[in-house]
Amino acid sequence: FYMYQTIIPRIFNSKSIMNYVIKESPYSHMTTLLPDDQVIYYMVPKELTQKPQSKRDNYLFWMSAFGKGMKEAVLMYISLYERGLTRRPFHICIPPQRSRKDVEICEKMIFDVNKNGYPIRFFGELKYADALTKLSKASCLFRPGLPQETFGLVYLEANQLGVPVLTYKGDAGEEILHDKHNMLIDKHHKMQDIASWMIDIQDQKTSVDMSKFDPQKITKEWVKLIENA
């Protein structure tokens, strides 16, 4: 209700979320942009404890919960593999889960698809530092899944580590993934386009502008908001 009411100003954590609420959601007809609506990004440190690798491996990497589109990513990987468009292995991990059942769902899905001999490996629940180490060594972050990222912290982490990202156009990636070595899939792309992008992707290095997420900058925005409330 809060996001679609037209009385109280709203704070969005990305422009993509604001655009979705105002223009693209099934309930957008119920709301409109208010004069005091604004975007305040999350605070993200400029430096990670993990550093970029001088040389990366050839595996594709998924680093998110099952509900963020893991199944769709696995299906796209299988489509690429079956067409002979990639022979890269696909490594998957999830963050620590509250329920063991959530882990078992991932394990079962990957066990079932691997009966056909796909090189998909599930690393289970990884702590943040371990997941970043895996990410830093990956050829790319493989994230073609729905729902898409509302803020895109994992995109920032990947590009900070020099790792290119493959995801769909239309989410927070458009605000973050400006490096030419990333790929934002849209309706005009075909499987061959994705395969061509992957050919030497482990040799490509990305960078990202972290200035808009600087903790000091974000703190000032929140202080100003509170002072003017």
Side-chain angles (χ1 to χ4, degrees), residues 72 76 143-146 148 155 166-171 173-174 183-186:
E72 290 80 2
M76 178 174 283
R143 283 298 308 273
L146 296 171
Q148 295 168 281
Y155 299 157
L166 174 78
T167 189
Y168 286 112
K169 188 175 182 180
D171 71 355
E174 292 189 47
M183 183 174 186
L184 301 180
I185 306 168
D186 64 22

Side-chain angles (χ1 to χ4, degrees), residues 65-67 94-107 122 124-126:
F66 179 84
I94 59 175
Q97 302 294 296
R98 293 188 181 92
S99 171
R100 175 63 194 171
K101 185 176 181 180
D102 294 332
V103 183
E104 292 171 352
I105 290 171
C106 300
E107 290 174 336
F122 181 51
E125 300 167 280
L126 290 187

Side-chain angles (χ1 to χ4, degrees), residues 120-179:
I120 304 174
R121 184 176 175 188
F122 181 51
F123 287 79
E125 300 167 280
L126 290 187
K127 294 180 180 178
Y128 181 65
D130 295 330
L132 282 187
T133 297
K134 283 287 297 179
L135 175 61
S136 72
K137 298 176 181 179
S139 62
C140 74
L141 180 68
F142 191 71
R143 283 298 308 273
L146 296 171
Q148 295 168 281
E149 288 288 334
T150 56
F151 174 70
L153 178 59
V154 69
Y155 299 157
L156 286 171
E157 292 163 339
N159 273 192
Q160 276 184 283
L161 292 169
V163 178
V165 175
L166 174 78
T167 189
Y168 286 112
K169 188 175 182 180
D171 71 355
E174 292 189 47
E175 298 171 62
I176 296 170
L177 301 173
H178 300 307
D179 191 285

Side-chain angles (χ1 to χ4, degrees), residues 6-165:
T6 56
I7 300 172
I8 304 171
R10 297 156 292 191
I11 301 169
F12 301 93
N13 65 10
S14 70
K15 291 179 181 177
S16 65
I17 285 295
M18 183 173 69
N19 290 336
Y20 176 79
V21 169
I22 303 301
K23 300 178 182 179
E24 300 173 8
S25 90
Y27 305 101
S28 293
H29 65 282
M30 298 169 56
T31 190
T32 186
L33 188 66
L34 303 177
D36 292 325
D37 283 346
Q38 62 181 298
V39 173
I40 299 181
Y41 293 103
Y42 287 144
M43 301 180 190
V44 182
K46 291 182 179 180
E47 299 290 336
L48 297 173
T49 53
Q50 178 63 46
K51 302 301 180 184
Q53 303 286 331
S54 58
K55 185 176 182 180
R56 303 198 310 277
D57 210 331
N58 72 330
Y59 59 85
L60 312 178
F61 189 52
W62 170 278
M63 172 184 161
S64 277
F66 179 84
K68 287 198 171 183
M70 183 193 296
K71 182 177 180 180
E72 290 80 2
V74 168
L75 290 174
M76 178 174 283
Y77 174 79
I78 291 172
S79 295
L80 289 164
Y81 191 91
E82 289 289 353
R83 289 170 171 80
L85 297 178
T86 186
R87 284 296 181 265
R88 296 176 182 273
F90 187 17
H91 292 183
I92 295 173
C93 79
I94 59 175
Q97 302 294 296
R98 293 188 181 92
S99 171
R100 175 63 194 171
K101 185 176 181 180
D102 294 332
V103 183
E104 292 171 352
I105 290 171
C106 300
E107 290 174 336
K108 185 178 186 308
M109 181 192 71
I110 295 170
F111 176 80
D112 288 342
V113 298
N114 276 347
K115 290 177 181 178
N116 296 297
Y118 300 115
I120 304 174
R121 184 176 175 188
F122 181 51
F123 287 79
E125 300 167 280
L126 290 187
K127 294 180 180 178
Y128 181 65
D130 295 330
L132 282 187
T133 297
K134 283 287 297 179
L135 175 61
S136 72
K137 298 176 181 179
S139 62
C140 74
L141 180 68
F142 191 71
R143 283 298 308 273
L146 296 171
Q148 295 168 281
E149 288 288 334
T150 56
F151 174 70
L153 178 59
V154 69
Y155 299 157
L156 286 171
E157 292 163 339
N159 273 192
Q160 276 184 283
L161 292 169
V163 178
V165 175

